[in-house]
Amino acid sequence: MKPFAFDCNRRDFLRAGAGALAGAALGPLGPLARAAGAQPARNARVSIVPCRGYGPEVATALARSFDQLGGIGPLVTGKTVTIKINLTGSKFDSVFGRPVGESYMTHPATVMALSSTLFGAGAHRVRFVESTNLRQPLEKTMVDAGFDVNALTALGRVEFEDTRNLGQGKTYATFKVPGEGHLFEQFELNHAYADTDVFVSLCKLKTHATTGVTLTMKNLFGTTPNALYGDDAPAEWGTKGRGRLHDLKGWDNRDNPAPFEPPGAKPEFFLPNNGGYRIPRIVTDVCAARPIHLGIIDGITTLNYAEGPWVKGQPQAITSPRVLICGFNPVATDAVGTAVMGFANVRAPRGVPPFRPGDNHLVLAEQAGLGTCDLSRIDVAGVPIEKARSREFAG
């Protein structure tokens, strides 16, 4: 694998156009052309179902959610279903005396209930994926996080793949961004994201220090392999996170002589050097390239502020919305999740909660043709948003 480096043309382009590009990029969020080939929302129905804890009621709530969506049998029967979980941070110390699954990571109970439901609906194979910063098999990481892997594999054909690098694949799979894209033309991802029929994003109901909220779409930021997009890149052994996707500062120096150029990046990727601009657009690009077929948001218990306990700025606590939110369209699903967290305007511009730190990726995704975040166009089944709405989240 060759080191990534700027060529002279790119350096000249950036030097000549830096001022104009940065000024335009940091301007108000304007209308974007619908991505060529992107499909309109297939199904803007989103289900909100009460779920009081992580016992048997999770399976009951999931079944009820899927019934309200019209069933998942046609989607998964005879298919390989790949589920992107969220083990962000890869450290599994308790938070406020509670397991990490009750605060900011995917909970073992949701994984077990979802797997059982999928096999019951006729799925042929279920595969769990996540890009961690640990050099060990994903199933070992899941055991460390409190998952009963033996019980999972007893349900049927269950597989695990840590997608931080090539893993069990021989080559990376190329995912083109439909239309022009924002910052990427394509992504190189682990084979598991291509070797599947159905793709599921299973996440927590959380806010985020950069993107405002982190739900089914933001969960896909973790599909990008650390080996190609992380701070060690390019290196198959790399485990560091993706700080350089957020902020390039400090990388073009003597310690890091080769400027970071992730595969598929457009010239626009390099400016402006601002996470609140970059990350929402990368999230939109990767969701366009690797579409989500089913989004599931665990809002049973979660953190009231930010994506993990390492984020400072406001007091954190465990909050209990006690709901599951499910939908076939991730933009609509995330819009409902944002409203359930108590935010008055899910289409808010940058600077307005919860999108105070960065541009609104829900609106960017809608403008790219990935779905709708207009609550008036979303059919909410089950508990109405107003009855499910929490007052405990900080934006």
Side-chain angles (χ1 to χ4, degrees), residues 36 53 70 90 102 121 154 164 179 203 211 239 254 257 272 283 291 303 321 338 351 377:
S90 301
E102 294 185 22
R164 70 175 180 83
C203 66
T211 58
T239 58
R254 273 184 271 176
V283 168
L303 283 182
T338 302
R377 297 178 56 204

Side-chain angles (χ1 to χ4, degrees), residues 1 9 15 51 156 187 198 205-206 212 228 298 392:
M1 186 180 299
N9 291 336
R15 187 178 297 115
C51 188
F187 292 91
V198 180
L205 186 71
K206 296 187 295 185
L228 300 181
D298 168 10
E392 301 179 26

Side-chain angles (χ1 to χ4, degrees), residues 41-56:
R42 215 168 30 109
N43 189 336
R45 171 172 285 192
V46 176
S47 169
I48 306 175
V49 170
C51 188
R52 298 203 59 81
Y54 289 105

Side-chain angles (χ1 to χ4, degrees), residues 145-366:
F147 291 78
D148 188 341
V149 167
N150 290 333
L152 272 175
T153 55
L155 293 173
R157 186 177 174 185
V158 176
E159 298 176 358
F160 308 88
E161 179 92 16
D162 192 318
T163 59
R164 70 175 180 83
N165 59 10
L166 282 170
Q168 300 171 36
K170 294 182 179 179
T171 60
Y172 287 101
T174 299
F175 290 83
K176 299 285 187 180
V177 179
E180 296 181 359
H182 290 284
L183 302 182
F184 280 87
E185 297 173 333
Q186 65 187 42
F187 292 91
E188 302 298 317
L189 306 180
N190 179 281
H191 77 97
Y193 297 107
D195 180 22
T196 193
D197 303 301
V198 180
F199 186 49
V200 179
S201 178
L202 174 61
C203 66
K204 274 287 191 183
L205 186 71
K206 296 187 295 185
T207 62
H208 193 275
T210 302
T211 58
V213 297
T214 174
L215 302 170
T216 67
M217 287 192 293
K218 175 60 175 62
N219 191 28
L220 265 61
F221 187 73
T223 62
T224 51
N226 310 62
L228 300 181
Y229 299 86
D231 292 351
D232 291 322
E236 278 296 298
W237 48 261
T239 58
K240 289 183 180 179
R242 304 167 191 81
R244 291 186 292 185
L245 291 184
H246 291 74
D247 184 351
L248 289 168
K249 290 177 183 176
W251 285 98
D252 192 2
N253 58 34
R254 273 184 271 176
D255 292 333
N256 300 278
F260 178 61
E261 185 173 352
K266 300 171 68 174
E268 293 92 320
F269 171 82
F270 299 93
L271 291 168
N273 193 20
N274 176 285
Y277 176 91
R278 294 153 66 91
I279 302 307
R281 286 162 174 79
I282 294 172
V283 168
T284 302
D285 285 350
V286 75
C287 288
R290 172 55 279 180
I292 296 167
H293 298 108
L294 173 64
I296 302 170
I297 303 173
D298 168 10
I300 302 170
T301 64
T302 185
L303 283 182
N304 70 322
Y305 169 68
E307 66 271 24
W310 55 86
V311 181
K312 308 304 178 185
Q314 297 191 39
Q316 288 182 323
I318 301 291
T319 186
S320 302
R322 300 190 188 283
V323 293
L324 288 179
I325 303 168
C326 301
F328 292 127
N329 182 269
V331 186
T333 304
D334 287 4
V336 171
T338 302
V340 167
M341 284 191 279
F343 297 108
N345 183 5
V346 302
R347 302 174 63 87
R350 184 174 186 169
V352 177
F355 303 103
R356 188 176 290 131
D359 291 326
N360 187 333
H361 62 278
L362 304 184
V363 172
L364 288 169
E366 180 183 78

